[in-house]
Amino acid sequence: MTEDERFMQRALELAEKGRGRVEPNPMVGALVVKDGEVVGEGYHEYFGGPHAEVKALKEAGERARGASLYINLEPCAHYGKTPPCVEALIEAGIKRVVLAVMDPNPLTAGKGLQRLKQAGIEVLCGVLEEEARSLNAPFFKLMTVGMPYVIAKWAMSLDGKTATHTGDSRWVSSQESRQYVHRLRSQVDAVMVGIGTVLRDDPLLTSRVEGGRNPRRVVVDGQARLPLDSRLVKTINEAEVIVATTALAPRERLEGLERVGCKLLVVKGKERRVDLIDLMKKLGEMQFTNILLEGGGTLTASFFEEGLVDRVVIFMAPKIFGGGEARLPVAGVGVDRVEEAFRLKDIRVSRLSEDILIEAIVEKDSREGGK
């Protein structure tokens, strides 16, 4: 690993600290290095807060003059919640900027790099670019496709069942795995389920993590059947409930949901069902960056069929349920041939208690709706 890569790795580690708090902004870390020594560090801590570069410059003080700045994303060149960071870098006397990847946001996209070069600052781009893109994959998808990044999560037995043939699913996975899910919920903008899951399991979908945040809860509910006495509605003061529905839903149900505080998101319908492509576009317009999909097998299958799943998080418990009619994590019609299967890459396998955790990226192909 080169010196530039070593310092960039530290910038990526700093950026990671902002996960779950900066969205819809990207996670960014920066450090000021002079004569091979780190003299200032910073990361974007929360949405609307100071940017990483500004915090690193402040810590470095006068030592920033003539120093190098390492950052995992192109410095912004536009006014937003904060002034342009490129001007702060120029004013501080930074001599060299090493960045991992260009900003896909049209407001910046190349403008920051151009402004730095105009000021006579040496710029090196592309150091640990792949790692930087992976870190901020949800931000890149929102900026380029206009849709949130979708993480499909499920827990299943070793024989691929999410519940027994009677519907019992408490608990398929271990307590440690469930704690992992709560942490994951605290890092996303929203958790999404279908109305079938709500009617069957009456879930809360909150994040029981100390110091964490509760995600917004989205119910895909084409006919507005969400019960007014459900646990989701009863806890609406803890976390917003968004009902994704259609104009074909009975008006009295829609009015009832609005009356108890649910937010209605009316999207296009497909045979009295929610059009998922339209739903994701609307959520993108609302600046949702990432969605944790915890729906049942039918909704999850529909997301796969539309090419909307970006990543999977699968908990496999060392249990055998059996049962030809037991619920599956991904149902639907399925593919006709093995060669048509949705393939995974960048697979990571670990252990949580007695469970096996599989995390992977979904390879995109010609069927993808998110391209």
Side-chain angles (χ1 to χ4, degrees), residues 25-339:
N25 282 351
M27 293 175 280
V28 181
L31 51 152
V32 178
V33 177
K34 192 165 190 178
D35 300 325
E37 178 189 354
V38 177
V39 295
E41 290 187 340
Y43 68 95
H44 189 31
E45 294 185 24
Y46 57 92
F47 179 69
H51 285 193
E53 311 89 305
V54 173
K55 299 190 71 175
L57 290 174
K58 183 176 181 180
E59 186 174 297
E62 283 301 314
R63 293 175 294 179
R65 193 158 300 277
S68 296
L69 178 102
Y70 289 80
I71 186 166
N72 61 295
L73 190 71
E74 178 186 7
C76 65
H78 65 281
Y79 281 89
K81 293 280 185 181
T82 59
C85 291
V86 289
E87 301 304 328
L89 297 177
I90 295 168
E91 186 177 342
I94 289 291
K95 181 180 179 181
R96 178 174 182 255
V97 172
V98 180
L99 60 95
V101 66
M102 302 293 286
D103 192 336
N105 187 338
L107 294 174
T108 288
K111 298 183 180 72
L113 180 65
Q114 182 181 13
R115 179 71 182 98
L116 291 172
K117 288 183 175 180
Q118 287 175 347
I121 296 174
E122 178 189 349
V123 181
L124 175 62
C125 183
V127 177
L128 299 188
E129 180 175 354
E130 187 176 341
E131 291 87 338
R133 286 183 179 276
S134 177
L135 176 74
N136 276 311
F139 174 73
F140 274 80
K141 183 178 181 183
L142 181 63
M143 288 296 107
T144 58
V145 180
M147 296 183 188
Y149 190 85
V150 177
I151 306 166
K153 162 262 165 186
W154 64 82
M156 66 182 185
S157 62
L158 203 57
D159 57 338
K161 307 295 170 51
T162 59
T164 68
H165 73 95
T166 65
D168 181 34
S169 60
R170 296 198 178 189
W171 294 104
V172 175
S173 59
S174 66
Q175 182 177 355
E176 189 175 350
S177 293
R178 297 196 298 275
Q179 289 172 342
Y180 187 97
V181 172
H182 289 305
R183 290 195 299 272
L184 190 55
R185 286 177 181 172
S186 74
Q187 296 171 352
V188 299
D189 295 327
V191 173
M192 180 181 290
V193 295
I195 184 60
T197 296
V198 176
L199 295 175
R200 183 176 57 244
D201 300 333
D202 194 21
L204 267 177
L205 306 178
T206 52
S207 169
R208 275 81 88 183
V209 176
E210 186 176 351
R213 66 169 184 174
N214 274 332
R216 284 170 282 187
R217 298 167 293 177
V218 180
V219 181
V220 180
D221 185 7
Q223 291 300 299
R225 293 186 292 155
L226 178 64
L228 302 185
D229 61 350
S230 65
R231 295 206 295 169
L232 289 174
V233 173
K234 288 179 180 178
T235 56
I236 208 164
N237 291 330
E238 296 180 28
E240 185 178 43
V241 174
I242 299 173
V243 179
T245 189
T246 70
L248 296 176
R251 178 172 295 276
E252 61 273 15
R253 291 183 192 166
L254 297 174
E255 291 174 349
L257 290 171
E258 277 192 313
R259 195 162 48 246
V260 295
C262 292
K263 180 173 182 176
L264 299 182
L265 183 58
V266 180
V267 302
K268 294 177 183 177
K270 274 187 176 181
E271 298 176 353
R272 303 175 72 86
R273 292 175 178 268
V274 166
D275 183 320
L276 295 180
I277 297 290
D278 190 48
L279 169 59
M280 298 308 286
K281 287 180 177 178
K282 282 186 166 56
L283 290 175
E285 292 169 0
M286 295 165 64
Q287 295 294 289
F288 279 70
T289 305
N290 44 36
I291 303 287
L292 181 62
L293 179 63
E294 295 195 43
T298 300
L299 183 62
T300 301
S302 296
F303 264 81
F304 270 105
E305 289 163 4
E306 295 286 3
L308 293 170
V309 180
D310 298 287
R311 178 182 163 207
V312 295
V313 176
I314 304 165
F315 302 89
M316 187 179 297
K319 302 169 183 175
I320 304 292
F321 289 171
E325 301 301 318
R327 294 206 302 265
L328 301 172
V330 184
V333 176
V335 300
D336 292 333
R337 299 188 302 274
V338 172
E339 64 184 20

